[in-house]
Amino acid sequence: MSIDQERYLPEMVRHVLYEVDEFRKDIERWQKLDKSDALWNSALEVALLHFRVLREFFLECPKNEGRDVCASYYVSDWENKTKDARAKYSVLEKCFINRVHRRLAHLTTERVSDKDTTWKRGEMLEATESLICSFKDSLAPPKSEWFAELKCRRIKQIVGDVSPGTESRTTYSFQFD
């Protein structure tokens, strides 16, 4: 991390909190919609966008050395703290995020050849909330004070929340501690 990045860490907190809040709102909005709703695809894409931003913040930094900010800049030994989540959640794997990239950023023939049309909303929510809680629990002062507004939502159970893209409605339930 550069001195310049270190200087911006306190200011970047509001941007991290924004991404967390937007991801939570957008997943919830998407879960409430039926495939016939006009906003179904936009809800899917906005949720995927914020999921991608948070996944990169938690797991893939640095991309643009000197500019991008990631969780490891706030928490020492962050990579070791994410090993369990990386192993547990398939939505954190590179192949899943590549599908997200194709959906959001490319008009590619891979959209047609990709036979998996499901989006694992429940797992995306559970994995992200797990990373958020681990991050919040791992922050040391003064950085823990910077993130005082960050709420940890520990998920007890998610059942059947897999969205088949735009083909049919799904049912879901999830519980928070």
Side-chain angles (χ1 to χ4, degrees):
M1 173 174 34
S2 71
I3 293 171
D4 208 32
Q5 286 168 311
E6 183 77 34
R7 183 181 72 165
Y8 287 113
L9 289 182
E11 293 178 53
M12 288 303 298
V13 170
R14 68 185 170 95
H15 297 282
V16 174
L17 294 175
Y18 168 81
E19 290 298 333
V20 169
D21 289 343
E22 290 301 306
F23 171 75
R24 287 172 172 166
K25 284 190 296 189
D26 293 329
I27 283 284
E28 186 176 315
R29 182 172 62 114
W30 181 24
Q31 288 171 322
K32 291 178 180 177
L33 292 173
D34 182 89
K35 72 153 183 125
S36 62
D37 289 316
L39 297 176
W40 176 272
N41 279 321
S42 64
L44 158 69
E45 290 178 353
V46 172
L48 291 176
L49 175 69
H50 292 292
F51 173 77
R52 181 174 72 174
V53 169
L54 288 173
R55 184 190 171 280
E56 288 178 0
F57 171 77
F58 287 122
L59 303 177
E60 295 221 359
C61 206
K63 283 196 188 241
N64 293 309
E65 192 67 45
R67 294 182 309 226
D68 288 356
V69 175
C70 58
S72 64
Y73 295 170
Y74 293 97
V75 176
S76 63
D77 199 28
W78 177 245
E79 189 169 326
N80 282 330
K81 294 176 186 338
T82 64
K83 282 184 181 177
D84 289 343
R86 289 174 189 267
K88 182 176 180 180
Y89 300 110
S90 65
V91 296
L92 299 178
E93 294 174 3
K94 196 68 173 166
C95 61
F96 182 82
I97 205 63
N98 285 340
R99 284 187 64 222
V100 172
H101 292 323
R102 286 192 303 269
R103 172 71 187 219
L104 296 177
H106 304 287
L107 283 174
T108 173
T109 58
E110 290 177 352
R111 287 184 178 192
V112 176
S113 63
D114 185 0
K115 300 302 178 211
D116 186 1
T117 60
T118 61
W119 295 100
K120 300 175 182 180
R121 286 185 305 207
E123 187 176 335
M124 289 167 51
L125 177 62
E126 187 176 346
T128 305
E129 293 294 348
S130 173
L131 289 168
I132 291 166
C133 289
S134 181
F135 179 73
K136 173 93 172 168
D137 294 345
S138 300
L139 289 163
K143 294 171 184 163
S144 59
E145 291 143 27
W146 299 347
F147 284 94
E149 292 179 37
L150 181 61
K151 302 297 181 228
C152 182
R153 295 176 20 178
R154 298 188 196 281
I155 297 177
K156 279 202 265 186
Q157 181 180 20
I158 294 180
V159 179
D161 189 18
V162 175
S163 167
T166 58
E167 282 125 36
S168 67
R169 183 176 182 155
T170 60
T171 59
Y172 64 91
S173 74
F174 54 95
Q175 299 173 340
F176 296 101
D177 279 344

